[in-house]
Amino acid sequence: MSILWLLMALLMLSFVLLPLVRRRRGVIEQVPPGHPDAADPADYGFVRQEELDVRMPGPDQDLLDVLELVQRTQDHRAAAQLLAGTETEGELRWQRVQAFAGAAALELQQRPGGLHETPGGQWLRVWRAEQPKDAGGAAVHAEFLVQQAWRTSTPGTDDFRIIMEEAREACAQAALLAPGDPVPYIVELSAARGLAYGQAEFEQLWLKILDRAPHHMGAHLAALHYWCEKWHGSREQAYAFAEAAAARAPRGSLLAALPLFAVFEHLPEVNLVAGFYRSEVVTRAVHGALHAVHSARPDDPMLPHVRHLLVFFLVRAERWAEAMQQLIHIDGHVGALPWVLSADPAAEFAVYRALAVAGYEANGGSPAGLPG
């Protein structure tokens, strides 16, 4: 089964892979893959690289089951039922809308259709035609258009703007069908970035989301991209947005981790110096994310996203034991930042995992030292 990886619409610079490592007198040294002295992640119960699930950041079996059924039968009704039963204000609905839209977009890419062939993603078109008043289908259609714009066109071109304008109109239609649902407005955040909304217009859109879901982590991540210096803001504006959200976050909210995402968005293109990742700014953001993880609900759908990014920063800072504590919770799924920025997310994740294991063992750690 093929679905688009769950991720926020990000256009980021790739990072250089770190070498595989081994344990020797407390010093981390390079070794080739398969070397007998190399630390073995399998000793910790971690899954093999080829078995890593690159589709999602963490488990959502209900979503996977429905996607498999929809793609096998081309019948949208199971998707409509799943979304209808998913809480509108929560993170899960947003992630599932992205997944259904991504599945349709990927199907269309794989089977664009022709004279004697039905295009892929036909189930979404039927969904909209047969249930035009269904709020879930309208939201999925809007997100599908946004993804199509980013996947098939170049920002700034006429084609890109035409698709994004259509997506913007689809967001408005979806919002009318579900006035209390923040998802259509979260979808529009990506359109706002692509269409270069002015800051005043963007703020008006953002207020609509805050009225409906003031602590929505996915919405804040989508808004953060707008404020980054590579889009329509600056490093200072992005940091200010993230830190303000973290400061007003209620107990148990993952918004305390938002500054770490802001730091990630503004990392230098290449920086392999561990000292940089131990700097005050990075350390403060990492500590905020660790606090958020420790206080969050275990079933928070956004928790795997934060854990994956923490692994990246903790390994870079050579905080091996803490990285291992995150890995035992997320191993098996790699459909999250930063791995999805790589051409081979599973391989990228596996390198960092090997670094964490080797560093942990080089400092006296063992499988027995980790919770089961």
Side-chain angles (χ1 to χ4, degrees):
M1 178 183 65
S2 297
I3 69 170
L4 189 69
W5 303 322
L6 292 179
L7 52 109
M8 310 310 146
L10 298 174
L11 298 175
M12 293 285 297
L13 296 170
S14 296
F15 287 84
V16 175
L17 294 179
L18 295 178
L20 290 176
V21 295
R22 68 166 171 170
R23 174 166 57 93
R24 180 180 174 186
R25 297 191 303 275
V27 178
I28 305 304
E29 299 179 346
Q30 298 181 14
V31 296
H35 191 285
D37 289 341
D40 188 357
D43 292 342
Y44 296 82
F46 295 148
V47 305
R48 297 169 60 87
Q49 177 179 327
E50 57 269 25
E51 296 172 352
L52 291 168
D53 191 331
V54 302
R55 301 168 299 179
M56 302 171 65
D60 184 351
Q61 194 59 48
D62 288 342
L63 172 62
L64 291 179
D65 290 344
V66 168
L67 270 170
E68 191 279 330
L69 178 62
V70 168
Q71 294 189 308
R72 176 168 48 83
T73 65
Q74 291 295 296
D75 188 334
H76 66 275
R77 287 177 293 181
Q81 291 172 1
L82 183 65
L83 285 183
T86 304
E87 181 188 15
T88 56
E89 295 83 7
E91 306 283 351
L92 200 57
R93 181 177 177 84
W94 166 230
Q95 294 193 15
R96 287 173 170 176
V97 165
Q98 286 184 299
F100 287 129
L106 192 56
E107 282 186 38
L108 181 59
Q109 180 183 15
Q110 294 171 340
R111 300 194 313 276
L115 186 60
H116 302 294
E117 181 185 30
T118 301
Q122 184 66 19
W123 54 268
L124 178 55
R125 299 179 186 87
V126 174
W127 187 357
R128 292 296 295 131
E130 292 185 353
Q131 296 180 268
K133 301 297 184 182
D134 182 72
V140 172
H141 179 241
E143 172 66 14
F144 168 82
L145 291 170
V146 166
Q147 292 193 22
Q148 280 295 96
W150 290 113
R151 290 162 62 91
T152 65
S153 305
T154 303
T157 64
D158 289 342
D159 287 347
F160 181 85
R161 176 165 290 276
I162 288 170
I163 301 173
M164 274 300 189
E165 290 288 1
E166 185 180 355
R168 182 179 186 177
E169 178 59 30
C171 289
Q173 294 174 5
L176 289 175
L177 293 172
D181 187 353
V183 169
Y185 300 103
I186 300 174
V187 176
E188 191 179 347
L189 289 174
S190 186
R193 179 161 52 95
L195 292 172
Y197 281 22
Q199 293 188 0
E201 185 180 10
F202 186 86
E203 290 281 10
Q204 291 177 356
L205 171 61
W206 182 237
L207 287 175
K208 294 177 182 178
I209 295 172
L210 292 182
D211 286 343
R212 291 160 176 81
H215 307 302
H216 197 290
M217 180 68 172
H220 279 79
L221 286 173
L224 175 64
H225 305 154
Y226 175 91
W227 293 113
C228 291
E229 64 184 3
K230 65 172 174 269
W231 286 105
H232 308 297
S234 65
R235 180 190 300 265
E236 293 72 25
Q237 287 176 300
Y239 279 21
F241 174 81
E243 289 166 3
R248 66 172 181 268
R251 180 172 178 78
S253 169
L254 286 169
L255 285 176
L258 197 63
L260 188 63
F261 287 85
V263 170
F264 181 75
E265 288 279 357
H266 294 89
L267 285 176
E269 182 175 359
V270 177
N271 193 319
L272 302 182
V273 180
F276 172 82
Y277 293 91
R278 297 171 184 159
S279 65
E280 181 180 354
V281 170
V282 175
T283 299
R284 186 170 62 247
V286 167
H287 285 172
L290 286 170
H291 172 75
V293 164
H294 292 153
S295 61
R297 299 190 333 268
D299 62 345
D300 190 316
M302 293 301 295
L303 187 54
H305 288 275
V306 180
R307 290 191 187 277
H308 279 288
L309 195 62
L310 272 170
V311 168
F312 170 86
F313 278 98
L314 291 170
V315 167
R316 287 289 184 93
E318 299 180 2
R319 295 167 63 169
W320 314 116
E322 291 169 290
M324 292 294 288
Q325 290 289 339
Q326 302 306 315
L327 282 167
I328 62 176
H329 291 287
I330 59 172
D331 189 73
H333 296 84
V334 297
L337 284 175
W339 327 121
V340 294
L341 302 178
S342 168
D344 189 342
E348 176 92 346
F349 174 83
V351 167
Y352 277 78
R353 186 176 64 182
L355 281 166
V357 170
Y360 178 65
E361 292 186 356
N363 288 274
S366 70
L370 291 175

